[in-house]
Amino acid sequence: QEQLVESGGGSVQDGGSLRLSCAASGPTYTWYYMGWFRQAPGKERELVALIAGLGTVAYADSVKGRFTISTDSAKRTLYLQMNSLKPEDTAMYYCAARTRVIYTRPFREAEYDAWGQGTQVTVSS
């Protein structure tokens, strides 16, 4: 069973930076896409960024130019570098993986089949 464990959340001021990490573990862990989602209180979970196994990335319009998704060379750790953070970025951030073959980019929550427990990001003004 694949496991995803996030870390790196915390509290920062408006304009600050954080780097989230998501470590993947499991005896046969492979993935086709990985993504970062976030959920603010009272709102639906939304996709922030995704990365394909071949490296193609995509971002939500709200974070383009501020956030960067990447993996380590072994593709077992997922990162989200978040710069110029805003109070509206405050949310629980989750990493997710698509471990079954898919032929289109998975933008929807339901298309991911492995999830971490989340890490809280709070940005104060």
Side-chain angles (χ1 to χ4, degrees):
Q1 181 69 31
E2 293 81 8
Q3 287 189 321
L4 301 174
V5 180
E6 302 98 334
S7 61
S11 297
V12 296
Q13 291 193 326
D14 193 352
S17 297
L18 283 173
R19 189 193 197 199
L20 305 183
S21 299
C22 173
S25 63
T28 57
Y29 196 89
T30 58
W31 55 271
Y32 294 89
Y33 287 87
M34 291 194 77
W36 286 100
F37 286 76
R38 67 185 181 187
Q39 186 168 22
K43 295 188 177 181
E44 294 186 352
R45 193 173 296 188
E46 63 174 356
L47 178 68
V48 174
L50 65 80
I51 185 167
L54 294 177
T56 306
V57 300
Y59 297 93
D61 287 344
S62 59
V63 306
K64 281 181 182 176
R66 301 189 297 122
F67 291 11
T68 303
I69 189 171
S70 62
T71 67
D72 66 349
S73 58
K75 296 185 179 180
R76 296 193 66 81
T77 302
L78 178 71
Y79 301 103
L80 185 69
Q81 177 66 45
M82 304 185 295
N83 299 327
S84 302
L85 282 161
K86 305 175 182 180
E88 52 263 44
D89 295 317
T90 295
M92 184 72 78
Y93 283 70
Y94 300 88
C95 70
R98 171 74 185 199
T99 63
R100 294 174 286 120
V101 172
I102 188 169
Y103 297 103
T104 58
R105 287 186 293 181
F107 291 106
R108 297 182 297 120
E109 180 181 355
E111 294 177 297
Y112 291 80
D113 47 36
W115 289 85
Q117 295 299 306
T119 185
Q120 178 68 36
V121 172
T122 302
V123 185
S124 57
S125 57

